[in-house]
């Protein structure tokens, strides 16, 4: 083994060019895996320290996630609450000194110009939440000036909020809860300031009244009696169906978004990180395979002088481990920076809180190193197997002249994959309902990529023939040399072109499937919104009673309140039982099509009342739901329901996949407020007069605004903007790594031709003619990559569009496609021409005798 290591070290020192490419591939892969590992560890370790529960020994809350065996527990979109009777039940547990209920209600400050401000530090600042003064003992929160609230119109403000509002004890403030604005007297200023939220304290009775659910509480802080022991365990056993938080976990009970962030980061890290591990192994393996192929002459000579296949394998394994270890160890350093970059992007997109901190421990770094080394070792072994098995004479022959034709198995597999990929693009969208059709269409691109990889030499030969007139036009000797070289070395050219084809295919597939879905959602939202007026709020939402008042406005025909949430849906049975999360809305079904046309395919949304549901075509297909059947859902706060399907509609992308009765959804949201109220005027009425009448009806509600339909569509876009940014960031990482792989392959393939360049110069070709020849080959590479990459992805995009919208035409923004072409051209041109210039630096006489 020591001999193999010694040979490996000598080879690495003498052949730095080929091993630099492998080093870059491993190091870049280690960086990506490190970033995913840090995010995953942070999802388990990071959190926000509790603020108002610091004095509580434990905090008790309702389950905020659905337990799932061997998987990430999906989080509920709304805060789950506990019955108020649970407070007394916990108070009776031995070791409990006191059990204190806490409720939260979103509060907005109404300024002198009748606008509402829901944050302390402006847009994106800390939210203002109201609580009962009885929960102040859990902080503990103490009065620094004035006194505690005693009546229903008394409030205590925390110090930071009072400073920003510019009020003192005895001042009057206007506070809005939903659309209801009330004037309160500031009776005291609390000493706390800063933190994740600003607090307004009411009397306990007033706080419970404002939540709209006086029989429910958000959390219960528990104070321990002396000698209580393990109170968390005691309370957990005595009171079933609750979650007990202790220590640092108390912050999760106070801030439910922490749990949501952990779930989001965990799912993202596992899914994206797992996919990237596979991609990295493929890229590292292909890089090492190309490196080994360029050394066939050397390996054949080793075999000829007596080296056994096992010795060759051990030598290549040692080389791989040397380069892989160096790349993996050094790659984790930029991986830490990449993790911080992703965290910043996610925070800016609103996908994680601004105070989400990364936890950097040794485990992600070690895991990234091990996985990168494993990928490099596996890739090196696969690359070395064929080289080690070749007879020396055959290896020497392949090192000089490529095999004249493809193997029969390879050719047959490639030819079979083409119709398989085309069928996968079209058949599932037509035959498989729901998301299965979209997934099948997406998979077709991978089948066609594999086909291109197998048939690459044949395809490149055809491309060269088609491009020959263009390449030779006005190019003279260089054009002839470029086409002759490409035909004679089609395998080498295919090996250099395939990574660029994969990059073009994946870039187009990832980006244009997103633009297709976004364009369809935008079109559906615009076509489905029939209301002429949209009533919204500058506060946390519109109070439900506003809709009832608007129905009495002259000229108004239909009023539809809309409340938004997310639901969890179950489908399948036994071991195949799965869960999907869907955007959901609650509406009143009466004359719904006059304000919000869902594009009903089957059934009648007028029947949407009580225990019923309407589903989009895609959701119904995924869940296996039919008209008149039932579906198993969990509402926003986790409440289980089994509603009957009364309608199936088309416009789920733009208007939500699940539509439920308004009152059912509203009762299970955190704030119990509507997102908007849609208003349709009666036929024949004066639109301007109706608008004026609506504004007059809400003039005493300073947080309510009457707008046009564009505001509703824009709100829908804003709700999905964060997901789009996260998707783009992940795609950028994936495509960036593929770009490194493309450059690696092109540089290695070109740099290995130094002897060829030297021979051409010795027989009379000028350096300019050689560079012109390489420019011709680069044109072949770029044009072929763009053409075949586009052809490979088009069926997938057409199938995706068919599954989502029912049409075969995807949304492909010309500028975005032009950007993909430009990047492919830039990568190909820069990699090939730069490495050509480097390869031509030695004198021809010196280069012709060098090892290649």
């Amino acid at each position: 083994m020591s001999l193999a290591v010694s040979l490996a070290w000598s080879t690495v020192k003498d052949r730095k060019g080929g091993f630099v490419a492998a080093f870059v591939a491993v190091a870049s892969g280690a960086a990506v895996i490190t970033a995913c590992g840090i995010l995953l560890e942070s999802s388990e370790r990071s959190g926000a320290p509790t603020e108002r529960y610091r004095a509580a020994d434990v905090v008790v809350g309702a389950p905020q996630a659905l337990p799932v065996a061997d998987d990430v527990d999906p989080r509920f979109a709304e805060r789950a609450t506990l019955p108020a009777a649970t407070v007394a039940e916990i108070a009776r547990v031995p070791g409990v000194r006191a059990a204190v209920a806490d409720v939260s209600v979103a509060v907005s400050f109404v300024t002198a110009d009748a606008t509402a401000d829901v944050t302390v530090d402006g847009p994106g600042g800390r939210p203002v939440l109201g609580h009962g003064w009885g929960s102040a003992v859990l902080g503990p929160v103490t009065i620094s000036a004035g006194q505690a609230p005693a009546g229903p119109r008394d409030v205590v403000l925390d110090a930071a909020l009072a400073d920003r509002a510019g009020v003192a004890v005895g001042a009057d403030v206007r506070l809005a809860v939903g659309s209801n604005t009330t004037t309160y007297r500031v009776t005291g200023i609390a000493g706390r300031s800063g933190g994740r939220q600003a607090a307004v304290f009411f009397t306990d009775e007033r706080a419970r009244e404002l939540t709209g659910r006086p029989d429910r509480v958000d959390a219960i802080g528990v104070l321990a009696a002396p000698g209580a022991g393990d109170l968390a365990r005691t309370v957990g056993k005595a009171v079933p169906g609750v979650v007990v938080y202790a220590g640092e976990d108390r912050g999760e009970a106070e801030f439910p978004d922490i749990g949501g962030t952990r779930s989001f980061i965990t799912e993202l890290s596992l899914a994206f990180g797992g996919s990237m591990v596979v991609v990295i192994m493929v890229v590292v393996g292909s890089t090492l395979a190309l490196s080994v192929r360029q050394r066939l002459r050397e390996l054949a000579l080793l075999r000829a002088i007596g080296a056994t296949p096992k010795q060759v394998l051990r030598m290549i394994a040692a080389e791989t481990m040397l380069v892989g270890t160096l790349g993996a160890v050094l790659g984790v350093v930029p991986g830490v920076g990449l993790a911080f970059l992703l965290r910043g992007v996610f925070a800016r997109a609103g996908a994680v809180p601004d105070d989400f901190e990364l936890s950097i421990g040794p485990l992600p770094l070690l895991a990234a190193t091990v996985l990168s080394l494993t990928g490099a070792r596996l890739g090196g072994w696969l690359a070395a197997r064929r080289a080690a098995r070749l007879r020396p004479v055959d290896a020497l022959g392949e090192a000089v002249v490529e095999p004249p034709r493809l193997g029969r198995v390879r050719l047959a597999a490639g030819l079979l994959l083409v119709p398989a990929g085309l069928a996968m693009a079209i058949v599932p969208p037509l035959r498989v309902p729901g998301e299965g059709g979209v997934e099948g269409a997406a998979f077709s691109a991978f089948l066609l990529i594999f086909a291109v990889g197998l048939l690459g030499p044949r395809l490149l030969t055809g491309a060269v023939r088609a491009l020959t007139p263009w390449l030779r036009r006005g190019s003279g000797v260089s054009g002839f040399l470029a086409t002759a070289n490409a035909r004679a070395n089609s395998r080498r050219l295919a090996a250099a072109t395939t990574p660029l084809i994969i990059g073009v295919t994946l870039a187009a597939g990832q980006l244009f499937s997103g633009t297709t879905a976004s364009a369809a959602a935008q079109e559906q939202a615009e076509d489905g919104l029939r209301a002429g007026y949209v009533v919204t709020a500058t506060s946390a939402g519109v109070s439900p009673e506003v809709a009832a008042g608007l129905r009495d406005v002259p000229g108004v025909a239909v009023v539809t309140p809309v409340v938004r949430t997310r639901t969890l849906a179950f489908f399948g049975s036994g071991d195949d039982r799965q869960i999907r999360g869907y955007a959901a809305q609650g509406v009143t079904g009466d004359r719904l099509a006059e304000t919000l046309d869902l594009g009903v395919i089957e059934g009648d949304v007028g029947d949407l009342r009580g225990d019923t549901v309407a589903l989009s075509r895609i959701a119904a297909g995924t869940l296996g739901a039919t008209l008149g059947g039932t579906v198993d859902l969990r509402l926003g706060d986790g409440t289980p329901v089994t509603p009957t399907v009364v309608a199936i509609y088309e416009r789920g992308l733009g208007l939500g996949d699940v539509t439920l009765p308004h009152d059912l959804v509203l009762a299970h949201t955190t704030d119990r407020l509507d997102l908007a109220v849609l208003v349709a005027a009666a036929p024949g009425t004066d639109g301007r007069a109706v608008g004026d009448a609506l504004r007059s009806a809400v003039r005493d509600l300073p947080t309510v605004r009457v707008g046009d339909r564009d505001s509703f569509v824009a709100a829908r876009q804003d709700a999905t903007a964060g997901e789009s940014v996260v998707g783009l960031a992940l795609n950028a990482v994936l495509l960036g790594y593929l770009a490194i792989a493309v450059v690696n392959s092109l540089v290695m393939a070109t740099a290995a031709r130094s002897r060829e360049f030297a021979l051409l110069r010795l027989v009379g070709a000028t350096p300019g003619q050689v560079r012109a020849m390489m420019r011709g080959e680069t044109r072949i590479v770029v044009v072929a990559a763009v053409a075949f990459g586009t052809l490979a992805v088009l069926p997938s995009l057409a199938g995706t569009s068919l599954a989502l919208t029912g049409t075969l035409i995807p949304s492909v923004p010309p500028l975005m496609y032009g950007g993909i072409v430009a990047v492919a051209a830039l990568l190909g041109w820069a990699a090939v021409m730069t490495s050509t210039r480097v390869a031509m630096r030695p004198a021809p006489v010196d280069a012709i005798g060098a090892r290649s």
Side-chain angles (χ1 to χ4, degrees):
M1 188 64 185
S2 59
L3 177 60
V5 173
S6 177
L7 285 172
W9 179 245
S10 299
T11 305
V12 170
K13 288 193 299 180
D14 293 340
R15 292 184 173 274
K16 297 183 180 65
F19 289 107
V20 165
F23 166 80
V24 171
V26 175
S28 303
V32 175
I33 298 174
T34 299
C36 292
I38 291 173
L39 290 173
L40 181 61
E41 184 178 43
S42 300
S43 69
E44 298 297 326
R45 296 178 179 271
S46 297
T50 184
E51 295 174 4
R52 294 187 307 101
Y53 297 155
R54 291 191 301 269
D57 295 283
V58 298
V59 180
V60 179
Q64 301 293 328
L66 187 68
V68 178
D70 301 324
D71 203 348
V72 179
D73 295 345
R75 299 285 301 185
F76 301 138
E78 314 289 344
R79 179 189 275 276
T81 58
L82 293 170
T86 309
V87 179
E89 188 177 356
I90 293 175
R92 292 192 294 268
V93 174
V96 172
R97 175 166 59 89
V100 181
D102 183 38
V103 297
S104 300
V105 58
V107 177
S108 303
F109 266 72
V110 179
T111 59
D113 59 353
T115 60
D117 189 356
V118 298
T119 66
V120 177
D121 298 323
R126 296 175 291 129
V128 182
L129 295 179
H131 309 278
W133 178 250
S135 65
V137 68
L138 302 174
V141 177
T142 57
I143 296 289
S144 60
Q147 61 186 19
R153 296 294 183 268
D154 294 346
V155 294
V156 169
L157 309 181
D158 75 29
L161 182 57
D163 288 343
R164 182 171 187 268
V167 298
V169 174
D172 289 338
V173 292
R174 300 177 70 194
L175 303 179
V177 176
S179 305
N180 301 313
T181 302
T182 306
T183 300
Y184 294 88
R185 183 172 61 91
V186 178
T187 63
I189 303 296
R192 68 179 296 275
S193 63
R196 299 183 93 236
Q197 63 175 257
V200 175
F201 292 96
F202 304 92
T203 63
D204 291 343
E205 294 77 14
R206 181 60 173 165
R208 288 195 297 269
E209 177 187 348
L210 291 174
T211 65
R213 294 174 291 184
D215 59 337
R216 310 289 296 185
V217 297
D218 291 348
I220 302 169
V222 181
L223 305 178
D230 189 352
L231 189 58
R233 184 176 182 182
T234 303
V235 172
K237 285 186 175 181
V239 185
V242 301
V243 178
V244 182
Y245 303 90
E248 295 180 355
D249 292 338
R250 292 172 298 171
E252 189 171 337
E254 185 176 358
F255 309 115
D257 63 314
I258 294 175
T261 299
R262 286 177 172 173
S263 179
F264 165 75
I265 293 295
T266 299
E267 292 180 12
L268 180 145
S269 302
L270 290 175
F272 182 70
S275 301
M276 284 303 301
V277 167
V278 175
V279 171
I280 288 165
M281 286 186 175
V282 172
V283 168
V284 171
S286 64
T287 303
L288 291 169
L290 182 57
S291 175
V292 169
R293 177 167 179 78
Q294 292 174 349
R295 297 167 54 200
L296 280 179
R297 180 192 298 271
E298 172 191 328
L299 298 177
L301 289 174
L302 287 175
R303 291 290 313 282
I305 62 175
T308 65
K310 286 186 178 180
Q311 288 175 324
V312 173
L313 283 172
R314 283 200 296 267
M315 183 189 72
I316 295 176
E319 294 169 356
T320 302
M321 293 305 291
L322 283 173
V323 176
T325 300
L326 186 61
V329 171
L330 296 181
V332 299
V333 178
V336 176
L338 179 60
F340 277 97
L341 178 62
L342 289 175
R343 181 251 171 227
V345 172
F346 296 161
R348 185 176 293 273
V352 301
D354 290 336
D355 58 357
F356 177 73
E357 298 292 339
L358 293 181
S359 177
I360 302 176
L363 187 59
L365 310 185
L366 179 62
T369 303
V370 171
L371 286 172
S372 300
L373 281 175
T374 302
R377 180 67 183 89
L378 180 61
W381 178 75
L382 292 173
R385 284 185 64 203
R386 181 173 179 272
R389 289 201 309 263
L390 277 177
R391 293 183 305 170
V393 174
D394 294 337
L396 283 171
E398 285 198 23
V400 178
V401 180
E402 290 188 348
R405 61 180 62 185
L406 296 178
R408 285 180 294 179
V409 174
R410 176 176 176 176
L411 181 62
L415 291 175
L416 289 174
L417 282 174
V418 173
L422 295 176
M424 185 63 72
I426 301 301
V427 174
L430 291 175
R431 306 290 296 178
V432 180
E435 297 172 11
V438 179
E439 294 167 355
F443 184 67
S444 71
F446 291 96
L447 294 180
L448 293 175
I449 285 175
F450 293 145
V452 169
L454 293 172
L455 301 175
R458 284 283 186 94
L459 296 175
L460 264 296
T461 300
V464 171
R465 287 175 181 160
L467 295 173
T468 294
W470 174 55
L471 291 171
R472 290 188 176 179
R473 188 180 302 131
S475 299
V477 174
S478 60
F480 170 79
L481 289 174
T483 54
N485 245 325
R487 288 180 179 178
N489 298 283
S490 59
R491 289 198 180 203
R492 182 185 66 194
L493 191 65
T497 308
T498 298
L500 195 56
I501 295 174
I502 294 174
V504 170
T505 304
L506 291 181
Q510 294 288 332
L511 296 176
F512 297 146
S513 60
T515 57
T516 298
S518 297
Q522 177 73 9
E523 182 180 359
Q524 289 181 6
E526 293 175 352
D527 293 346
L529 183 60
R530 300 298 177 84
Y533 309 93
V534 178
V535 178
T536 57
T538 57
S539 60
V542 182
S543 295
E545 57 269 20
V546 172
L550 295 178
R551 291 189 176 96
D552 297 328
V553 173
V556 169
V558 184
V559 174
T560 302
V562 180
V563 57
R564 290 270 168 80
T565 187
R566 287 191 65 85
T567 59
L568 298 176
F570 295 78
F571 62 101
S573 59
D575 294 337
D576 293 331
R577 191 163 175 79
Q578 300 180 55
I579 303 175
R580 285 286 191 280
Y582 287 108
Q585 61 188 349
V587 298
T588 53
D590 185 35
R591 301 175 67 180
L592 178 62
E594 297 181 40
T595 56
L596 195 66
D597 185 1
L598 300 176
V600 175
I601 302 171
E602 297 180 78
D604 185 0
V605 291
D607 297 330
L608 199 63
R609 60 179 64 88
D611 199 15
T612 59
V613 66
L615 299 174
S616 71
R617 172 181 57 85
I618 295 176
T622 302
L623 302 177
T626 57
L627 196 66
T630 60
V631 290
D632 186 1
L633 300 179
R634 296 294 184 274
L635 298 177
D637 63 354
T639 301
V641 293
T642 311
T644 301
V645 180
V646 296
I648 296 175
Y649 55 91
E650 180 63 37
R651 296 188 174 120
L653 289 174
L655 301 176
D657 287 301
V658 177
T659 301
L660 291 155
H662 173 266
D663 292 345
L664 178 63
V665 174
L666 188 72
H668 297 278
T669 57
T670 301
D671 297 323
R672 298 169 65 87
L673 299 172
D674 292 324
L675 171 72
V677 179
L678 308 181
V679 180
T685 56
D686 182 356
R688 178 174 297 181
V690 173
D692 292 340
L694 288 171
R695 294 181 184 89
S696 177
V698 301
R699 66 177 179 272
D700 294 330
L701 303 175
T703 68
V704 176
R705 299 288 182 270
V706 178
D708 55 20
R709 32 186 292 125
D710 292 340
S711 60
F712 186 78
V713 175
R716 182 72 179 175
Q717 290 178 320
D718 292 342
T720 59
E723 297 179 7
S724 299
V725 172
V726 170
L728 286 174
L730 297 181
N731 283 332
V733 174
L734 170 62
L735 298 177
Y737 184 74
L738 289 176
I740 292 173
V742 167
V743 172
N744 259 350
S745 299
L746 293 174
V747 167
M748 288 178 64
T750 306
R753 298 170 63 182
S754 58
R755 296 181 67 205
E756 175 190 336
F757 298 155
L759 181 60
L760 287 172
R761 293 170 65 186
L762 288 174
V763 298
T766 66
Q769 288 175 324
V770 175
R771 286 193 290 269
M773 177 192 75
M774 293 307 297
R775 285 196 293 270
E777 288 193 26
T778 303
R779 286 195 288 269
I780 295 174
V781 169
V782 172
V783 172
V786 171
F788 292 131
T790 302
L791 290 174
V793 79
L794 272 179
S796 173
L797 293 176
T800 299
S801 178
L802 182 62
L804 292 176
T805 68
T807 66
L808 283 169
I809 303 175
S811 175
V812 180
L815 287 178
M816 192 175 290
Y817 181 73
I820 293 175
V821 174
V823 171
L826 178 62
L827 290 176
W829 196 272
V832 173
M833 297 313 298
T834 301
S835 53
T836 296
R837 290 183 178 275
V838 173
M840 291 177 61
R841 282 178 181 172
V845 175
D846 296 332
I848 198 70
R851 293 190 301 171
S852 62

